[in-house]
Amino acid sequence: MPRPSTRAAPRSQRRSRRSTSCSAPTSTRPPTAANPSLIERGVTLATNEAIGSVRSAAEGVVPYRKWVRKLSGAERYSKDVAAAIAAGTVRRAYLKGQLVARSCV
């Protein structure tokens, strides 16, 4: 569909079209589960901070928490989970590099 001539458009429409064409978009992609919006990230951050505050208050109530975690095996499991996440991140980066090198993307 051809754009109307700028001379035929009223002054307010020309100004509006000019300002929107020169301004950068606020987001290149719509928010998804993998790429949340700024507001969703802020809500998540605030929630995590509130939970962290409650957790630290509860940890102060439970004496010898560190020893309980070590004796129950929770500390070792937590380290195993962190190692698995790190290995998965490295594996994903390696595979993405292979795809780019082979021009599959």
Side-chain angles (χ1 to χ4, degrees):
M1 183 170 150
R3 275 176 77 172
S5 170
T6 55
R7 294 180 188 261
R11 176 180 251 170
S12 62
Q13 287 180 351
R14 281 186 293 191
R15 191 176 306 134
S16 172
R17 190 179 312 133
R18 189 176 2 175
S19 68
T20 57
S21 66
C22 295
S23 64
T26 56
S27 175
T28 56
R29 287 181 243 142
T32 61
N35 183 22
S37 70
L38 188 59
I39 293 173
E40 291 169 349
R41 284 185 269 169
V43 168
T44 303
L45 178 66
T47 303
N48 290 342
E49 289 297 320
I51 290 171
S53 297
V54 171
R55 182 180 295 137
S56 65
E59 287 172 356
V61 173
V62 178
Y64 306 109
R65 181 179 181 275
K66 183 177 177 181
W67 285 106
V68 171
R69 285 185 56 83
K70 283 187 184 263
L71 294 173
S72 68
E75 191 69 31
R76 185 175 5 138
Y77 179 74
S78 178
K79 288 181 182 179
D80 290 344
V81 169
I85 291 172
T89 303
V90 170
R91 188 177 307 117
R92 182 172 187 262
Y94 171 77
L95 292 173
K96 283 182 103 175
Q98 289 294 318
L99 288 173
V100 170
R102 294 180 184 179
S103 300
C104 294
V105 179

